Amino acid sequence: MSSSDQIPQENDLPKSQQTPMNIDGNSTTHFGYKTIEKDDKISMVAGVFHSVAKQYDVMNDLMSFGIHRLWKRFTIDASGVRPGNKVLDLAGGTGDLTAKFSQLVGREGKVVLADINSSMLNVGRDKLRDKGLVQNIEYVQANAEYLPFEENTFDIVTIAFGLRNVTDKDKALRSIYSVLKPGGRLLVLEFSKPEHELLNKAYDFYSFNILPKMGEIVAKDGDSYQYLAESIRMHPDQETLKSMMDNAGFEQTSFKNLTGGVVALHKGYKF
Amino acid sequence: MSIFTKLAASKIANELLLPQAVTAALELIINKALALNNNTSVSFSAVAQKTLTLKLAELSFPLSFSVNSSSKPVVVIVSTLAEQSDCSIQTSLYTLKKLKDNQSLTQLIKQDELDVSGDLKVAQQFANIAQSLEIDWQSELANHLGDVPTHKLLQFGNKVTKSFLTKSKQLEADLTEYVVHEKRLVVSKSQIKAFNQRTKEIANDVSAISKRVDKLIADYASK
Ligand SMILES: C[S@@+](CC[C@H](N)C(=O)[O-])C[C@H]1O[C@@H](n2cnc3c(N)ncnc32)[C@H](O)[C@@H]1O
């Protein structure tokens, strides 16, 4: 790959996108369990994903026993995608959803793979090219809070395992709402709160004791996986996220628990 | 099946992500098979961007097949997305088997065994492609294993399938007999015993078979 082909690094983003303005005057946010300055969250999250990008797919399979593929399939099945649709795969990372969407929207359709992180986008682009998927995919480095698209552009926006990393989630939801066409829908696939106490406990043990060790051994990066486990616990539960979507203007919002609520798929429409 | 059992079955299937597991497996198998196809004259252009949906009586969810012919190689995508289908067929696995046994599509439609909505041509085009694929499983296996072991393996495979089929038929017949003729809803001790006995027999057969497989592999390795 030539250097001009590279997607620009984080600090090439306009300053306004690196350090989101903060309306309520509260300048701290969560980074996993730590409370940090909001300005620092973006670069710390970036650090995590720059460092996991290469092993990201392998780790995903390992950590979820491959089930993430079924969660993603469920998302596609629930999206109602059809040939000719325009789809935004936001925080799309290494492009699993993009690959499927690209095949389903066909020649007349388009899929935009957007992510804030250049390393993840590069890994994604290489992977999709190797699969022979080039025709209808665009790559855009963008922050979910400030989407660089015109209003009413997309039929479908998905954000899979991405929203919990976003500093100002309400702002991101509003930004997504604006780029959706009337009749368009948002699908948020994200870790959530297991429905049963026992499952919750088992899941806690797994995430805090086993997951970081796997990260250490396979990706040589225990800290990043510790962050992932913590960020999952800090993420809003099913009902909270649903009301956040309502507040951002989405209608007919609903969610479906998958694997006992370890993961939930939220869906909402813009009319 | 009553509508309630059907609903409950579909809810459980969904919770377990069964539809997604089934479509993922089918997609894998179909695309593997396509990669092994030797008939280079098969053309996918007629079905490019087309979707065929099967609604099987045995499954609580639809199966949709779409062809992406702009990617190389051609990829078939299997999903449960049914709204946008070009042709939708409502039928059962049992009827599909008849189709394989050379009864024609139209014959089955006339007998009300197949219910088609949408463009019947699309279904026919999909069927044509499926029939024109030439997949030589034997030489594909031989590439990996060598000729003699492949021959042995296939012979052995046939035997296993046959014996499994007779065993399971027998078991089914026995069970039916218990249920139908004795008309008992609660299983008696002796029935459980008989069932356990059969299970044990089958387990023994399986372990004998697995020993044979081990031996075959060992034989092969020592060559
Ligand atoms: C766990 S990965 C998920 C990737 C992919 N969607 C998947 O499901 O495999 C999370 C992604 O979110 C991206 N991300 C984090 N904060 C973001 C933001 N504010 N805007 C856009 N993407 C962001 C990260 O760079 C990372 O690639």
Side-chain angles (χ1 to χ4, degrees):
Chain A
M1 197 191 287
S2 74
S3 63
S4 64
D5 216 15
Q6 292 279 341
I7 290 152
Q9 292 290 316
E10 230 60 39
N11 41 18
D12 299 339
L13 276 182
K15 192 73 188 158
S16 68
Q17 293 183 24
Q18 286 183 37
T19 50
M21 298 247 296
N22 138 32
I23 310 146
D24 54 8
N26 175 358
S27 68
T28 61
T29 184
H30 293 288
F31 179 76
Y33 283 171
K34 300 187 193 94
T35 301
I36 55 162
E37 289 294 315
K38 275 190 178 168
D39 290 3
D40 294 337
K41 173 154 176 169
I42 290 190
S43 62
M44 290 172 85
V45 170
V48 167
F49 285 104
H50 278 306
S51 81
V52 301
K54 287 248 158 59
Q55 281 93 4
Y56 180 79
D57 287 342
V58 180
M59 283 304 292
N60 256 357
D61 275 337
L62 268 179
M63 291 183 320
S64 71
F65 311 106
I67 300 177
H68 75 104
R69 291 165 188 261
L70 300 184
W71 294 331
K72 286 173 183 163
R73 263 179 184 273
F74 188 90
T75 307
I76 305 264
D77 286 350
S79 73
V81 64
R82 42 184 76 176
N85 274 171
K86 270 186 148 184
V87 181
L88 171 63
D89 180 11
L90 186 54
T94 57
D96 284 348
L97 286 174
T98 297
K100 268 263 138 36
F101 276 129
S102 150
Q103 288 167 334
L104 288 164
V105 299
R107 275 183 286 265
E108 276 81 53
K110 194 166 93 179
V111 187
V112 177
L113 173 58
D115 199 291
I116 200 169
N117 189 292
S118 56
S119 304
M120 293 292 276
L121 273 178
N122 280 329
V123 172
R125 179 160 57 184
D126 290 348
K127 182 169 93 180
L128 296 176
R129 273 192 189 158
D130 286 348
K131 284 191 176 179
L133 299 169
V134 279
Q135 275 198 345
N136 53 9
I137 305 178
E138 268 177 37
Y139 300 84
V140 175
Q141 187 177 10
N143 183 343
E145 295 168 30
Y146 305 87
L147 290 173
F149 308 103
E150 299 209 349
E151 278 180 28
N152 310 332
T153 305
F154 297 100
D155 299 288
I156 297 169
V157 177
T158 55
I159 178 163
F161 306 112
L163 192 62
R164 69 169 187 280
N165 301 301
V166 174
T167 313
D168 189 338
K169 299 178 181 57
D170 294 307
K171 193 180 220 165
L173 289 171
R174 287 195 300 271
S175 174
I176 293 169
Y177 185 85
S178 117
V179 301
L180 270 174
K181 287 181 192 167
R185 51 227 168 265
L186 164 67
L187 295 121
V188 183
L189 181 64
E190 189 52 270
F191 289 105
S192 210
K193 194 162 183 289
E195 292 159 290
H196 303 290
E197 202 37 48
L198 205 65
L199 180 60
N200 214 354
K201 289 226 168 77
Y203 180 48
D204 261 349
F205 179 80
Y206 173 70
S207 330
F208 288 105
N209 296 288
I210 300 178
L211 224 156
K213 294 238 164 60
M214 275 185 353
E216 189 63 61
I217 295 165
V218 181
K220 310 261 176 305
D221 192 358
D223 286 349
S224 293
Y225 287 92
Q226 175 78 24
Y227 158 74
L228 289 186
E230 291 177 6
S231 72
I232 289 167
R233 288 315 180 288
M234 298 303 293
H235 188 71
D237 65 16
Q238 287 86 335
E239 289 297 343
T240 314
L241 179 54
K242 182 176 177 305
S243 55
M244 285 165 72
M245 288 171 64
D246 289 335
N247 289 339
F250 287 95
E251 291 181 56
Q252 287 183 19
T253 54
S254 61
F255 64 84
K256 179 116 192 45
N257 283 330
L258 305 178
T259 319
V262 167
V263 161
L265 179 69
H266 282 71
K267 189 171 174 181
Y269 291 83
K270 170 177 176 178
F271 289 119
Chain B
M1 235 195 294
S2 85
I3 183 92
F4 291 111
T5 16
K6 231 177 173 168
L7 272 177
S10 110
K11 191 167 180 290
I12 293 170
N14 278 334
E15 300 252 310
L16 293 175
L17 294 164
L18 204 65
Q20 285 69 37
V22 170
T23 53
L26 279 174
E27 198 173 285
L28 193 78
I29 293 168
I30 291 172
N31 290 305
K32 270 266 144 54
L34 284 182
L36 294 178
N37 167 42
N38 288 327
N39 183 357
T40 46
S41 65
V42 180
S43 161
F44 291 88
S45 55
V47 289
Q49 309 286 320
K50 294 271 192 268
T51 300
L52 171 70
T53 299
L54 285 184
K55 293 179 178 159
L56 296 175
E58 292 88 349
L59 283 185
S60 58
F61 49 89
L63 293 173
S64 287
F65 303 83
S66 318
V67 174
N68 178 20
S69 62
S70 52
S71 66
K72 280 234 144 49
V74 171
V75 178
V76 173
I77 304 127
V78 188
S79 73
T80 66
L81 287 160
E83 296 146 38
Q84 229 352 63
S85 190
D86 298 285
C87 177
S88 176
I89 299 182
Q90 202 143 5
T91 183
S92 67
L93 278 178
Y94 178 69
T95 309
L96 281 187
K97 204 181 150 292
K98 285 192 193 166
L99 202 60
K100 218 183 117 205
D101 299 340
N102 278 337
Q103 287 209 30
S104 81
L105 210 58
T106 34
Q107 218 175 347
L108 290 169
I109 295 173
K110 271 193 203 137
Q111 292 163 6
D112 271 347
E113 296 203 42
L114 270 174
D115 192 6
V116 182
S117 55
D119 188 355
L120 183 61
K121 247 197 351 239
V122 172
Q124 266 155 350
Q125 282 156 344
F126 269 93
N128 288 345
I129 290 180
Q131 277 161 3
S132 62
L133 294 176
E134 286 168 10
I135 298 162
D136 186 353
W137 296 108
Q138 182 149 1
S139 60
E140 175 58 26
L141 269 177
N143 281 341
H144 296 287
L145 298 176
D147 288 330
V148 177
T150 298
H151 182 68
K152 275 192 186 160
L153 194 70
L154 289 181
Q155 239 180 358
F156 177 65
N158 282 339
K159 241 191 201 160
V160 172
T161 327
K162 256 191 215 141
S163 98
F164 178 76
L165 283 179
T166 37
K167 274 271 146 55
S168 59
K169 257 200 199 125
Q170 209 175 329
L171 192 64
E172 199 180 286
D174 290 352
L175 281 175
T176 319
E177 202 170 319
Y178 292 135
V179 176
V180 175
H181 295 296
E182 302 196 8
K183 282 202 181 119
R184 278 206 201 125
L185 290 176
V186 185
V187 185
S188 70
K189 258 195 186 141
S190 67
Q191 287 168 343
I192 293 183
K193 224 168 129 192
F195 181 79
N196 285 346
Q197 182 58 31
R198 284 250 177 269
T199 315
K200 230 185 249 161
E201 278 170 30
I202 292 178
N204 286 341
D205 287 355
V206 169
S207 84
I209 284 166
S210 109
K211 277 199 194 105
R212 281 198 62 188
V213 172
D214 287 346
K215 192 171 169 297
L216 269 177
I217 291 172
D219 285 354
Y220 175 58
S222 65
K223 265 181 206 159

